[in-house]
Amino acid sequence: MTEYRNLGRTGVRVSPLALGTMMFGARGNTDHDDSVRIIHHALDSGINIIDTADVYSGGESETIVGKALAGGRRDDVVLATKFHGRLGDDPNENGNSRRWIIREVENSLRRLSTDWIDLYQVHRPEPGTDFDETLGALSDLVHQGKIRYIGTSTFEPSAIVEGQWTAERRGRERVVAEQPPYSLLARGIEREVLPVAQRYGLGVLSWSPLAGGWLTGRYRTGAEQPTSSRAERQAARFDIAAPGNAAKLAAAEALAVLADEAGLTLVQLALAFVLEHPVVTSAIIGPRTFGQLESQLGADKVKLGRDVLDRIDEIVPPGVNLSALDAGYTPAAVTEASLRRRSA
């Protein structure tokens, strides 16, 4: 039986495994009927939170989720989606501005075939946009009943704190959840993001708990590098020859041995590890196929002993990302030379 967890201090109860739908649509499973069957099986298995985004397959993922929740399933699901990414050639069809938020929420509501979104998340920070403008627009949507709660994704600790202070000082609805990357191979958020989330009572919905496939057992030394649509889009994160990825490969193999010794699959070890952290609410799984979903269901029932957790810390130290690319977001202060060079 599923043991539901509190989403921060909201009083909303969600399953430890959340169903991510990035792989439904043109990016992954193009069969809508099959994708709907996968969603239904996840719900029938006790999962009650679905996470999607407007940019997943250009809105197709939201459309598939809307189909899956038709016929009376919507009321029992905590539905989360995101905005920020570019969806057109117009310079204003992206970002965190009031103009785009007010327009895009209507698009998401239409694609999802629903009257409200439970958790509407800012997909990435946008330093050039006043956070108060973003929170102001989102607060208005809460008051209008179009969204229930506000969340963020892949925000740095300082931005999370800024959101809390902005809400308090400007009388806005506050952010109640953060969605960061977290896995056995990417533990960087243990340093500050998770402690800050705990301090402010935020729910944490972690993405990529299988490290984009590195923790499925598909990557092996000497074997041909697996192909996937994700690897094609983000080649640097999956090139085995890259130093950071070589470290990930070595760690994944050591973790696979540990999982076998513990009588677990590597997938089960990876998901159970993420859910072990006291600040994490749910781990977002993103299956493309029915078989992938089946391999991940039940991982929330796995309990890792102290000896196994200690061995994990020896393989990948706490607070460490083996590859910097797995952080999910690099601030403009680092990527833009003009912000770090007086002579630029």
Side-chain angles (χ1 to χ4, degrees), residues 9 160-161 164-165 174-176 195-202:
R9 297 174 182 164
I160 295 173
V161 174
Q164 297 296 310
W165 280 71
R174 76 181 192 96
V175 172
V176 303
V196 167
Q198 184 176 41
R199 186 174 307 140
Y200 288 97
L202 304 186

Side-chain angles (χ1 to χ4, degrees), residues 5-227:
R5 301 178 173 187
N6 289 324
L7 181 62
R9 297 174 182 164
T10 64
V12 175
R13 303 277 287 171
V14 296
S15 50
L17 294 179
L19 181 65
T21 64
M22 187 177 75
M23 299 309 294
F24 297 151
R27 280 189 175 186
N29 191 336
T30 59
D31 186 329
H32 285 209
D33 291 338
D34 187 48
S35 297
V36 167
R37 283 193 293 270
I38 293 170
I39 294 172
H40 285 173
H41 185 55
L43 298 179
D44 293 340
S45 300
I47 290 176
N48 77 333
I49 177 169
I50 296 177
D51 178 75
T52 185
D54 57 359
V55 292
Y56 293 168
S57 296
E60 188 181 0
S61 170
E62 287 186 326
T63 299
I64 292 171
V65 171
K67 291 179 179 179
L69 297 184
R73 287 185 176 261
R74 172 66 186 93
D75 287 344
D76 298 328
V77 169
V78 178
L79 181 57
T81 191
K82 302 181 282 291
F83 69 90
H84 168 82
R86 180 167 295 283
L87 281 171
D89 296 330
D90 187 294
N92 290 309
E93 287 185 297
N94 70 293
N96 302 344
S97 70
R98 169 179 285 273
R99 185 179 193 276
W100 178 239
I101 292 169
I102 298 302
R103 176 181 171 187
E104 185 57 8
V105 73
E106 299 294 343
N107 294 332
S108 286
L109 288 169
R110 183 183 67 255
R111 288 188 293 259
L112 290 164
S113 299
T114 186
D115 294 327
W116 83 98
I117 294 162
D118 292 293
L119 181 63
Y120 201 37
Q121 303 160 106
V122 192
H123 209 158
R124 289 294 187 275
E126 189 171 66
T129 301
D130 188 345
F131 205 0
D132 181 56
E133 169 163 339
T134 302
L135 279 183
L138 293 171
S139 297
D140 288 346
L141 294 177
V142 171
H143 302 155
Q144 294 167 18
K146 294 181 178 180
I147 68 175
R148 300 292 190 255
Y149 300 103
I150 302 167
T152 54
S153 178
T154 322
F155 270 45
E156 294 189 296
S158 59
I160 295 173
V161 174
E162 180 188 356
Q164 297 296 310
W165 280 71
T166 299
E168 180 179 328
R169 292 181 173 183
R170 302 291 179 86
R172 308 299 193 188
E173 296 291 328
R174 76 181 192 96
V175 172
V176 303
E178 161 62 12
Q179 187 179 131
Y182 187 40
S183 73
L184 284 164
L185 305 181
R187 302 182 61 177
I189 66 167
E190 292 174 343
R191 288 182 175 273
E192 288 191 271
V193 171
L194 291 179
V196 167
Q198 184 176 41
R199 186 174 307 140
Y200 288 97
L202 304 186
V204 174
L205 309 172
S206 63
W207 59 267
S208 201
L210 299 181
W214 285 89
L215 295 171
T216 61
R218 296 179 63 206
Y219 288 80
R220 286 286 184 268
T221 299
E224 186 175 349
Q225 181 167 333
T227 59

